[in-house]
Amino acid sequence: MTFSPETSTVPTIVLNDGHAIPQLGFGVWQVPDDGAQAAVTEALKVGYRSIDTAKVYENEAGTGKAIAESGIARDELFITTKLWNDDQGYDSTLTAFDASMERLGLEYLDLYLIHWQQLDRDKYIDTFKAFQKLKADGRVGSIGVSNFTVPTLEKLIDAVGETPAINQIELHPRLIQEELRAFHTSQGIATEAWSPLGSGTVLDDPAFAPIAEAHGVTPAQVILRWHIQLGNVVIPKSVTPERIASNFDVFGFELSNDEIQQINALDTPDGRTGPDPDKFSS
Ligand SMILES: NC(=O)C1=CN([C@@H]2O[C@H](COP(=O)(O)OP(=O)(O)OC[C@H]3O[C@@H](n4cnc5c(N)ncnc54)[C@H](OP(=O)(O)O)[C@@H]3O)[C@@H](O)[C@H]2O)C=CC1
Ligand SMILES: O=C(O)C(=O)[C@@H](O)[C@H](O)C(=O)CO
């Protein structure tokens, strides 16, 4: 059942396929399966309605249990999972999708992403064609990619005649991805920020304390608010109940243009915390 944006308490972004996604969601990388059930249960209690998991996180089952036990109507939830690298290819994608859905306990998925472009495998075009079949069959609402670069996006769009709805990329104040975001905007691709807090590594930067103090919020809230004002979809992760709650509370203040520029200025050429998409092979 398609996500109904009118049920969302956070702003939504309309994708190029007409579906909407909540701008703030909850990520569960590095959370063990039983911990994921607890963390997602807590997140849903706080008000998050968008959850980001992946086959490779090995917590689709725990995530699915939390969803099932929440009692929240399916059309109030936006669930994302991702196809792992060694499942790329047309038939293997269809098989992997069924297995993810079985673990999640879902009939319908809101967003399916190709996790990494995997240039050495060179299977992302066939993989996306399988995604198109899943969408045509009504199993998935939106189809997109993750960790794709401009040249790979261009090749994909040219080959499949469809523009992915989303590219989920590493994006935080030390890696602001200005060029890739501009390309997304020019093509109608939504930008989703992974590791929006730099996996916690950017929080101690002295730039955030004065901004946080001025607004009576935390550095994490400042960073998440920066993402929201840039127009990013953002999916912070935490297993700590107070942080899960405070990360969701970012709609009661606004950063000035000057504060946004101060944060943009933290961008560094070697700001990645994760792999380089052009080199990552697994
Ligand atoms: N497509 C891809 O390739 C990738 C996708 N992702 C997605 O993005 C999500 C988020 O990225 P992730 O790398 O997990 O990291 P985040 O940038 O969301 O940071 C999470 C870390 O910051 C800590 N933290 C969270 N909130 C606060 C806070 N308010 N104050 C202080 N510390 C805080 C967490 O600790 P604690 O949990 O202990 O509270 C954790 O250590 C992932 O969970 C996943 O869904 C991530 C990586 C790659
Ligand atoms: O978290 C993700 O979504 C990832 O893809 C990463 O874990 C990635 O697999 C990685 O960091 C490999 O070193």
Side-chain angles (χ1 to χ4, degrees):
M1 190 186 284
T2 312
F3 171 68
S4 304
E6 59 277 10
T7 66
S8 181
T9 62
V10 307
T12 55
I13 285 189
V14 179
L15 304 173
N16 61 16
D17 56 21
H19 292 298
I21 181 172
Q23 213 183 339
L24 176 66
F26 185 71
V28 292
W29 178 39
Q30 292 178 310
V31 186
D33 203 40
D34 54 347
Q37 185 176 355
V40 173
T41 297
E42 185 65 28
L44 293 173
K45 212 189 306 167
V46 162
Y48 294 81
R49 290 294 179 266
S50 170
I51 308 295
D52 180 88
T53 182
K55 177 195 173 183
V56 77
Y57 301 169
E58 298 184 341
N59 57 23
E60 289 175 316
T63 298
K65 274 188 211 144
I67 291 167
E69 288 174 16
S70 72
I72 297 169
R74 182 66 187 88
D75 73 339
E76 294 180 27
L77 295 167
F78 189 102
I79 309 301
T80 301
T81 194
K82 313 184 197 84
L83 178 96
W84 189 239
N85 303 334
D86 58 7
D87 288 320
Q88 285 208 32
Y90 192 89
D91 291 335
S92 45
T93 292
L94 299 178
T95 304
F97 175 79
D98 285 341
S100 278
M101 296 299 275
E102 179 86 28
R103 286 188 292 273
L104 283 163
L106 297 177
E107 294 291 321
Y108 168 86
L109 186 69
D110 296 279
L111 176 64
Y112 202 27
L113 302 177
I114 302 180
H115 208 139
W116 291 86
Q117 53 189 12
Q118 297 287 288
L119 296 181
D120 56 345
R121 289 178 195 271
D122 198 19
K123 288 185 175 173
Y124 59 85
I125 289 170
D126 281 349
T127 302
F128 200 84
K129 286 181 179 168
F131 276 29
Q132 289 178 300
K133 173 175 169 49
L134 292 168
K135 188 167 110 171
D137 290 348
R139 312 273 327 269
V140 182
S142 298
I143 53 179
V145 297
S146 175
N147 300 302
F148 273 45
T149 57
V150 170
T152 317
L153 283 168
E154 284 174 333
K155 279 189 206 141
L156 177 66
I157 294 165
D158 193 43
V160 301
E162 179 170 350
T163 303
I166 280 192
N167 189 15
Q168 184 185 112
I169 54 171
E170 182 176 354
L171 204 177
H172 47 72
R174 296 227 175 97
L175 186 72
I176 71 171
Q177 300 270 24
E178 210 155 13
E179 277 175 35
L180 190 46
R181 281 190 291 120
F183 179 76
H184 289 167
T185 303
S186 74
Q187 300 296 311
I189 300 170
T191 299
E192 184 166 31
W194 66 252
S195 292
L197 306 172
S199 276
T201 60
V202 303
L203 292 164
D204 288 340
D205 192 295
F208 299 118
I211 303 176
E213 202 182 337
H215 292 279
V217 297
T218 65
Q221 287 171 309
V222 168
I223 297 170
L224 294 172
R225 182 70 210 177
W226 168 80
H227 281 285
I228 297 289
Q229 288 184 222
L230 287 190
N232 301 334
V233 177
V234 66
I235 45 170
K237 167 263 176 187
S238 177
V239 293
T240 312
E242 308 79 62
R243 293 173 176 175
I244 293 174
S246 64
N247 290 350
F248 192 70
D249 181 17
V250 294
F251 298 100
F253 68 103
E254 193 163 353
L255 301 175
S256 67
N257 283 340
D258 182 54
E259 289 167 331
I260 289 184
Q261 293 312 325
Q262 286 177 46
I263 299 172
N264 288 346
L266 302 177
D267 189 39
T268 56
D270 58 352
R272 284 191 192 284
T273 62
D276 177 342
D278 279 337
K279 297 188 186 136
F280 185 49
S281 168
S282 77

